Amino acid sequence: MTKANLQLLSLNQITTENWSLSEAIQGCARHDIHWISIWRHKLEKIGVKEARKLLTEYGVQVSSLCRGGMFPAATERERQQRIDDNKRAIEDAKTLGTDVLVLVCGPAPDKNIKQARHWVEAGIEAILPYAEELGVKLGIEPLHPMYAADRSVINTLGQANALTECLQSDHLGVVADAFHIWWDPELEQQIARAKGKLLGFHVSDWKVPMRDMFKGRAMMGDGVIDLRAMRGMVEEAGYHGPIEVEIINQEIWDQPGDDVLHQMKQCYQAHV
Amino acid sequence: MTKANLQLLSLNQITTENWSLSEAIQGCARHDIHWISIWRHKLEKIGVKEARKLLTEYGVQVSSLCRGGMFPAATERERQQRIDDNKRAIEDAKTLGTDVLVLVCGPAPDKNIKQARHWVEAGIEAILPYAEELGVKLGIEPLHPMYAADRSVINTLGQANALTECLQSDHLGVVADAFHIWWDPELEQQIARAKGKLLGFHVSDWKVPMRDMFKGRAMMGDGVIDLRAMRGMVEEAGYHGPIEVEIINQEIWDQPGDDVLHQMKQCYQAHV
C-alpha cells in the first residue's frame, strides 16, 4: 500500500500539550502541516474569535474540535448542563470552520453502565437538531474499554455504529482512533459498516509495557498497531479526510514541540 | 438477589501471591474456604504429587488450574513447544483432580493479531483430543482488551463463545472473569450465549484510578463492577460452580495472607 498523503496530516493539539493554541497553529504553519484538531481547554484561553483569526492568518484548517460528549450524570439537572455545554461546543466548531465535533461520551456516575449508555443516546439525540441547524457534524469516538469506568461508556466501533444507525442523521457519524479500536475482533467489519459515516481517523500506537493508562500512547511505529492496514480499511470505507496524530504521552509532551512535529511527520510517512 | 453461596468461594492463589501453595492450601483450611485455584508457577515448586497430598490432607478442592494457552509464537517449532506444554498442564490438572484448565491464549509475536487468533484456534484444536482423553475441560478465558498486545488476543466473551461453537466439544468451554468482561456492551447476551459452556466465574473489581495495568485489580466492592448482577447472569446461564476471587494487586499481596482471606470472605458476602 502507498504512503498516506502528507496533505492530510493533522496535528491533534494534545500531541503538543505544552504549546498554547497560538504556538500550535504557528508550529503547523512552520512545518507545512495543513490541519489541526483543537481542544477546548486550549481554545478557552484565547477565545474562539482570536483562534479563527490565527487560523486564517497562518492558513491552517481545523480537522475537528475536541470535544463534546460527557452526557451521563447523576441528576437531571447535571445532564441538562452537559447538553448546554455541548451546544456551546457546536457553536465553537461552527465559528472555527470545522465540520466535526468529536464526542467523548463520558463515564457512568455509578455502577449502572447500561443506564449511562442510554443517557449517551438521549444526550446525542438532544443536541443533534442544533448540530444540524448549524451544519456541524457530531463524531462519536469509541474509547478503549480500559476507559469504560472513567472516560466513556462507548467502547467499541460497533456501539458507535449502532448509535448512528439508530439516530439517523447526515450530521452524525463515527471517529476511528487506532489506539482505541485496534484490538477489536470485529475491526474490519465495523469499519466497513461505518461506510459513509466516518468523520475522522486518528493515529498513534500501542506500546508494551504501558506505564500510564492515560498518558501511555506511543508515536506511530513504536508499537503493535498495523496502522497502514487500518488506513486501508478506513479508505475502503470511503474516508479520505484529514488524519489526526493524537498522542497523549508525558515524555513526548516534555520534548520541544518542533522536534515532535518533525518526528511526527516522519513517522506518519513511514507507518501510516 | 441473595448473597453468593459461601460454600462456592474459591481462593485463586494469585490473590495471595506471597504465599507458597502449601501456605495457601492451609490458609484455605484455616478460613473454611473449600476451594482453591492453583497456578503452575507455584505448583512447580512443590510438584503435583505433594500438592495432591496436601489438598487431600486439608480437604481443599481445586476449582481450576491456571494456566494453559499461550499458543501464538513466531515459529512452528515454538508453537509446537507451547502445545507440548499445554499437554503437561492437562496432565497436572488431572492429577490435581480439577475439571478445568484455564486457557490464557497468548499475545501475537508481531503486528498480525488476526494470524495470532488463528494460531489460538489451531492450538486449542491440537490439545483438545488429549483433554478429552484425560477428562479435563479447557476453559477459554477472554482477557480485557488492554491485554491484547501482551497477554491474550482473545479479548471478548463473544470470541471465546465463537471458538467453542466452532470446535464443538464437551471438554471445551469459557471462563467469565468480571474484571475482563464487565465493560462489554454485549455482556448479557454473551453470558447467555455461553449457557452450558461456562466453566468458571472469577471476581475482583475495577477501581479508578488504576495505577498499574497488571497489578491494578481491586477487592470486590471497591470498584465499579456490579458483581451481584453479573453473578445473576452467570447463574441464569446455568453456572453454579466455584466462584474464584482472583486479585492481582501489589498492595493486597503485601498484606498478611490471613488478613486477605478474612477480608475476601467478607467482601464476597457483601458484594458477590
Side-chain angles (χ1 to χ4, degrees), chain B residues 75-91:
Chain B
T75 66
E76 175 86 42
R77 187 162 166 274
E78 285 172 282
R79 291 194 295 279
Q80 185 56 49
Q81 287 170 343
R82 308 288 177 97
I83 285 168
D84 296 341
D85 183 60
N86 271 278
K87 289 185 178 171
R88 286 190 293 274
I90 291 169
E91 291 163 5

Side-chain angles (χ1 to χ4, degrees), chain B residues 2-272:
Chain B
T2 56
K3 288 181 183 182
N5 182 351
L6 202 52
Q7 306 299 314
L8 295 176
L9 172 60
S10 176
L11 170 70
N12 183 299
Q13 107 167 102
I14 199 76
T15 304
T16 52
E17 168 68 6
N18 286 339
W19 266 354
S20 68
L21 179 51
S22 167
E23 288 170 319
I25 291 170
Q26 292 177 56
C28 284
R30 211 157 47 238
H31 290 265
D32 202 24
I33 293 168
H34 302 186
W35 297 89
I36 190 169
S37 165
I38 293 178
W39 280 54
R40 290 178 78 202
H41 69 286
K42 296 287 188 183
L43 183 63
E44 271 173 18
K45 290 191 183 155
I46 62 168
V48 68
K49 281 180 190 159
E50 173 66 15
R52 193 182 167 164
K53 211 183 98 194
L54 285 167
L55 290 161
T56 308
E57 185 180 343
Y58 288 94
V60 178
Q61 285 179 278
V62 183
S63 53
S64 71
L65 177 64
C66 186
R67 62 179 169 60
M70 295 291 153
F71 300 106
T75 66
E76 175 86 42
R77 187 162 166 274
E78 285 172 282
R79 291 194 295 279
Q80 185 56 49
Q81 287 170 343
R82 308 288 177 97
I83 285 168
D84 296 341
D85 183 60
N86 271 278
K87 289 185 178 171
R88 286 190 293 274
I90 291 169
E91 291 163 5
D92 288 349
K94 184 181 171 62
T95 308
L96 291 171
T98 178
D99 268 357
V100 182
L101 175 67
V102 171
L103 300 183
V104 173
C105 293
D110 51 31
K111 291 192 181 195
N112 195 341
I113 193 169
K114 210 168 161 180
Q115 171 66 70
R117 285 168 172 157
H118 287 303
W119 282 330
V120 168
E121 185 176 341
I124 295 174
E125 200 172 8
I127 64 171
L128 198 45
Y130 196 57
E132 288 166 345
E133 189 186 326
L134 269 63
V136 171
K137 291 179 179 172
L138 305 176
I140 305 168
E141 180 174 346
L143 295 205
H144 194 284
M146 74 180 174
Y147 302 129
D150 56 351
R151 298 183 193 278
S152 178
V153 295
I154 304 301
N155 307 105
T156 65
L157 205 45
Q159 277 180 289
N161 280 331
L163 281 168
T164 65
E165 289 160 11
C166 176
L167 296 173
Q168 290 276 350
S169 162
D170 285 348
H171 288 75
L172 184 63
V174 303
V175 171
D177 182 309
F179 181 86
H180 295 306
I181 64 175
W182 74 275
W183 60 272
D184 192 335
E186 295 182 1
L187 182 67
E188 281 180 74
Q189 301 94 297
Q190 293 297 340
I191 288 178
R193 179 180 170 193
K195 191 160 191 158
K197 288 288 178 187
L198 276 166
L199 299 178
F201 177 41
H202 299 179
V203 295
S204 65
D205 215 333
W206 184 288
K207 189 180 171 186
V208 170
M210 191 174 294
R211 297 222 163 69
D212 186 313
M213 277 173 66
F214 181 51
K215 299 180 190 171
R217 299 193 204 185
M219 185 58 77
M220 296 81 74
D222 285 351
V224 300
I225 308 178
D226 189 342
L227 292 166
R228 189 151 291 170
M230 205 184 295
R231 179 170 63 82
M233 297 174 203
V234 162
E235 288 178 356
E236 187 70 30
Y239 183 76
H240 300 280
I243 299 176
E244 295 183 11
V245 174
E246 183 178 25
I247 306 179
I248 302 174
N249 181 310
Q250 190 65 52
E251 279 173 42
I252 289 177
W253 291 353
D254 291 342
Q255 292 167 28
D258 281 298
D259 293 358
V260 173
L261 262 56
H262 178 74
Q263 195 191 347
M264 172 182 111
K265 274 180 84 167
Q266 291 193 312
C267 295
Y268 174 83
Q269 290 183 286
H271 301 288
V272 181

